[in-house]
Amino acid sequence: MQLKELFCLRQSCRNFDAERKVEKEKLENIMELARLAPSACNSQPYSFIVVTDDELVKEVARCTQSMGMNKHCSAARAFIVMVEENAGLLAKTGGRLKDQDYASIDMGIVSAHIVLAATEQGLSTCMIGWFDEKKLKEILQIDEKKRVRLVFAVGYAAADDKIREKKRKDLDKLVTYR
Ligand SMILES: Cc1cc2nc3c(=O)[nH]c(=O)nc-3n(C[C@H](O)[C@H](O)[C@H](O)COP(=O)(O)O)c2cc1C
């Protein structure tokens, strides 16, 4: 698949096929491609919990649902939960000296790897930033001092799901050349 085609196919899925299970092998492939992501000082300041157990999947879905948000997560068949890890001295010192948040940049990059790797395998994803962090940590037994930064809902899109046109800033608003 051409890169542009892959990028256009990747969209936030809010219409998962609740009946279609996600193959473990595909999740492993996604995580292998996540592993290849670059990061500041190669610090890789993240770890992931891949949730496939049906009961746990339901509980994670509930953690993303409050105030009417993320109803679509009920039909996701897997979740990938990203936890921020210690960036290590070099990246942290560099970030402090340069007043840059390298860890967040790194987590954004690895997130792109995850959703694109999933898309390439015919899966659909939705990055979820709206979740009950405390509850999620309890359910998944994550150290309460750590931060959960993003949740990825994973599944197959329903048969009637359509690829939407991307609504983005025009290039002239996005880029200047000097
Ligand atoms: C950090 C982050 C958090 C997000 N949180 C949510 C969320 O909680 N629920 C949701 O439905 N979509 C969420 N999204 C998806 C965005 O709304 C979506 O990426 C954006 O509207 C562009 O649409 P597209 O992904 O379909 O191209 C999130 C995306 C990002 C990058």
Side-chain angles (χ1 to χ4, degrees):
M1 198 186 309
Q2 292 294 307
L3 210 47
K4 187 173 179 187
E5 190 190 343
L6 180 66
F7 282 27
C8 290
L9 265 182
R10 199 263 349 128
Q11 64 181 9
S12 295
C13 180
R14 301 193 179 89
N15 183 18
F16 289 109
D17 179 348
E19 304 306 317
R20 202 163 162 202
K21 220 170 146 44
V22 176
E23 299 84 345
K24 184 164 176 261
E25 185 187 289
K26 289 196 174 183
L27 290 165
E28 286 169 353
N29 290 339
I30 294 169
M31 298 324 297
E32 173 56 19
L33 294 188
R35 201 173 75 83
L36 302 181
S39 58
C41 304
N42 204 18
S43 57
Q44 304 157 74
Y46 36 66
S47 64
F48 300 93
I49 301 169
V50 179
V51 183
T52 54
D53 174 82
D54 287 342
E55 278 313 305
L56 263 185
V57 164
K58 276 185 206 143
E59 286 190 59
V60 172
R62 280 197 287 272
C63 287
T64 70
Q65 294 168 330
S66 62
M67 297 171 74
M69 293 285 285
N70 295 324
K71 293 196 178 79
H72 59 288
C73 283
S74 295
R77 293 301 304 261
F79 286 96
I80 300 169
V81 176
M82 178 164 67
V83 179
E84 182 170 359
E85 298 291 346
N86 197 327
L89 194 59
L90 198 57
K92 275 205 284 205
T93 308
R96 247 180 248 134
L97 287 174
K98 290 292 160 199
D99 188 23
Q100 293 290 350
D101 183 0
Y102 294 139
S104 293
I105 296 171
D106 296 340
M107 286 187 278
I109 295 168
V110 75
S111 297
H113 276 225
I114 287 172
V115 293
L116 290 166
T119 307
E120 206 262 334
Q121 293 185 94
L123 290 165
S124 289
T125 57
C126 188
M127 287 177 274
I128 302 292
W130 181 272
F131 52 83
D132 182 333
E133 187 178 0
K134 193 166 180 283
K135 217 188 273 175
L136 207 50
K137 284 189 205 168
E138 276 167 26
I139 291 167
L140 299 176
Q141 296 165 16
I142 298 165
D143 185 336
E144 63 175 43
K145 291 190 274 312
K146 292 189 179 178
R147 297 298 309 272
V148 177
R149 293 301 187 187
L150 200 61
V151 173
F152 303 79
V154 186
Y156 284 94
D160 62 350
D161 198 50
K162 301 256 179 334
I163 295 299
R164 303 181 295 271
E165 197 189 323
K166 298 263 177 255
K167 292 196 180 115
R168 299 293 190 260
K169 290 179 186 173
D170 290 335
L171 265 179
D172 60 353
K173 298 255 167 9
L174 192 67
V175 190
T176 51
Y177 294 91
R178 301 216 193 282

